[in-house]
Amino acid sequence: MLTRRSLVKAGLAGLAAAPLIRRGAGAADARGSGKPFRIAHLTDIHVQPELESAKGLASCFAHVQSLAERGEAPVDLIVTGGDTIMDCMEADHARTQTQWDLWKKVKADACSLEVKSVVGNHDVWGWTKSKARTKGDEARYGKQWACEQFGRPLPYESFDRGGWHIVLLDSVFPHEESYVGKLDDAQWDWLEKDLAAVPAATPVAIVSHIPILSVNPLATSEAGEPGKDGKPSFALSGGLVHVDHPRFQQLFTKYTNVKACLSGHLHIVERIEFGGVSYLCNGAVSAGWWKGQHRGTDFGYAVVDLHDDGTVASRYVPYGWTARA
Ligand SMILES: [Fe+2]
C-alpha cells in the first residue's frame, strides 16, 4: 500500500515549477471555470525484468501520487498510453507472462489511483509468429491478453469524466508479421456512433497509442526517391503515425468538440495545434526503453488538465529516474 513514508522513500525529484501551458480550442489563454479534470498520462512504460524498470515504474507512480503533497491538484485518473510491457509481439508465452505479471504487481503495490489503459503495439501478443512461436489460435493471441490485463472485453472504450468525454482507441492493426497505425472498419463505425452520441457542448479527448498526427516522422526522415511530381519526397512509415489521419481530420471537422488527441509510441514530447485540436505526444515513462533519454526526452509523464471550457493544459514531468547499468 502506498504511504507517505513510501513516497518519501522513493526519492522523489522535485516537480518542475513551470506553469502548465494552456492550449486548445484556439484560445491559448482562455480561462475555464471550476476545477479541471486532471489526467496523468503515462505512456510507453515498457516494464520488463531488466534495468530495474519495476523500481522505475514504482517511483513514477509515487511521483504522480505525490502531486497533492506538493501543493498541486491531485490526479483524478491515470491513463497509460500503450506499450505497457517491453514487448510481447515477438515474445513467447513464458516471457509475455513474466512481463504482464510484473506490470500487475507494480500497479497493485505502488498505485492506488484508478488506471485506464490503451493498447500499444508491444502489448499485442505473438503477431511476429516466427519469433513468438505462436500459431494464432491461442486464447490470448493478439490483443486478448492485454484486454484481459486491462479488464475489458474490447481494446477500445469511451467514458465520461469531469465534464469530458474520453475515448481510448486501439490504433494497432496487423501488417504482415508486424503492425500499422489505423482503425479497422468496426472501430471506425463504433467511433463515429460514439461521437455522434456526445452532446455538442461536451469536449472530447481521444487517447491512442500511435499518434493520429505528428511532425516527428517528417523531422527525422531525409528526402529520398522522387514522388509522383518528380521531386524528392519523404517516405513516412505507417507504423509511426495513423495512416487514416485524413479520415480523422474529416471527422474532427464534423465534431468540433474534439479538442485533444493524446498519444505516445514515438518516445518524444511534441505539441501540435492543428484544426482546433491539440495533438500531444507525451514522451515515455521508459524514456529510451530504460537505457537513458531518447532524443532529449527524459523519463517522465504528462500532467494533462482538461478544463470545462474545452481548453487543455499539459506539462511533461520528469520523475527523477536515471538509467541503471
Ligand atoms: Fe514504445
Side-chain angles (χ1 to χ4, degrees):
M1 201 60 199
L2 194 71
T3 62
R4 181 183 173 85
R5 176 172 291 190
S6 67
L7 289 173
V8 172
K9 245 177 109 179
L12 304 176
L15 296 173
L20 290 171
I21 297 169
R22 194 79 171 270
R23 59 187 178 283
D29 60 350
R31 291 285 176 268
S33 60
K35 175 185 167 295
F37 186 71
R38 174 162 278 195
I39 290 174
H41 185 207
L42 278 60
T43 191
D44 295 83
I45 294 166
H46 288 283
V47 73
Q48 56 187 290
E50 297 79 19
L51 301 171
E52 297 186 33
S53 74
K55 277 189 193 171
L57 174 57
S59 76
C60 182
F61 277 138
H63 203 281
V64 170
Q65 291 163 109
S66 74
L67 285 174
E69 295 190 4
R70 293 161 182 270
E72 287 212 36
V75 165
D76 297 304
L77 175 70
I78 291 176
V79 176
T80 64
D83 288 3
T84 319
I85 58 175
M86 183 58 192
D87 176 70
C88 67
M89 192 169 278
E90 298 185 354
D92 66 14
H93 189 282
R95 171 76 181 176
T96 304
Q97 184 80 60
T98 298
Q99 294 175 88
W100 282 123
D101 285 350
L102 198 53
W103 159 248
K104 202 170 173 182
K105 179 168 172 37
V106 176
K107 186 159 76 79
D109 290 350
C111 180
S112 58
L113 291 174
E114 183 187 5
V115 177
K116 293 274 195 182
S117 295
V118 168
V119 177
N121 51 294
H122 288 288
D123 300 327
V124 178
W125 181 43
W127 280 358
T128 311
K129 292 179 180 170
S130 52
K131 291 186 178 172
R133 289 180 285 170
T134 45
K135 291 179 180 169
D137 59 358
E138 295 85 352
R140 289 165 152 179
Y141 181 75
K143 295 160 189 171
Q144 213 44 48
W145 204 329
C147 285
E148 189 184 301
Q149 292 296 316
F150 300 156
R152 61 175 193 259
L154 292 172
Y156 52 90
E157 68 170 322
S158 68
F159 49 91
D160 295 319
R161 291 292 168 81
W164 280 66
H165 186 68
I166 299 171
V167 181
L168 308 184
L169 291 181
D170 164 24
S171 51
V172 183
F173 283 85
H175 179 80
E176 296 174 353
E177 281 213 327
S178 186
Y179 65 93
V180 64
K182 57 177 267 193
L183 307 185
D184 66 354
D185 290 343
Q187 199 178 171
W188 266 114
D189 187 47
W190 172 84
L191 178 62
E192 286 173 358
K193 285 179 181 149
D194 185 77
L195 292 182
V198 179
T202 301
V204 178
I206 293 175
V207 191
S208 61
H209 177 62
I210 296 173
I212 291 170
L213 189 66
S214 171
V215 74
N216 182 67
L218 184 62
T220 54
S221 67
E222 291 178 6
E225 296 300 309
K228 283 180 187 167
D229 61 359
K231 298 173 184 173
S233 65
F234 294 94
L236 307 180
S237 168
L240 296 176
V241 290
H242 265 257
V243 293
D244 49 3
H245 73 88
R247 191 165 172 182
F248 278 101
Q249 312 311 335
Q250 216 173 12
L251 189 72
F252 298 164
T253 302
K254 185 174 178 187
Y255 298 108
T256 55
N257 52 337
V258 176
K259 300 300 183 189
C261 292
L262 279 53
S263 68
H265 190 50
L266 303 177
H267 296 226
I268 54 134
V269 180
E270 178 187 68
R271 304 165 177 171
I272 299 174
E273 299 297 329
F274 184 75
V277 180
S278 301
Y279 295 86
L280 309 171
C281 188
N282 280 332
V285 169
S286 66
W289 297 264
W290 297 103
K291 291 181 175 171
Q293 294 192 3
H294 177 68
R295 297 183 56 222
T297 299
D298 205 349
F299 299 84
Y301 63 95
V303 173
V304 181
D305 283 345
L306 303 177
H307 290 264
D308 58 8
D309 64 355
T311 57
V312 180
S314 183
R315 181 187 68 203
Y316 192 65
V317 182
Y319 58 93
W321 189 255
T322 52
R324 306 299 196 253

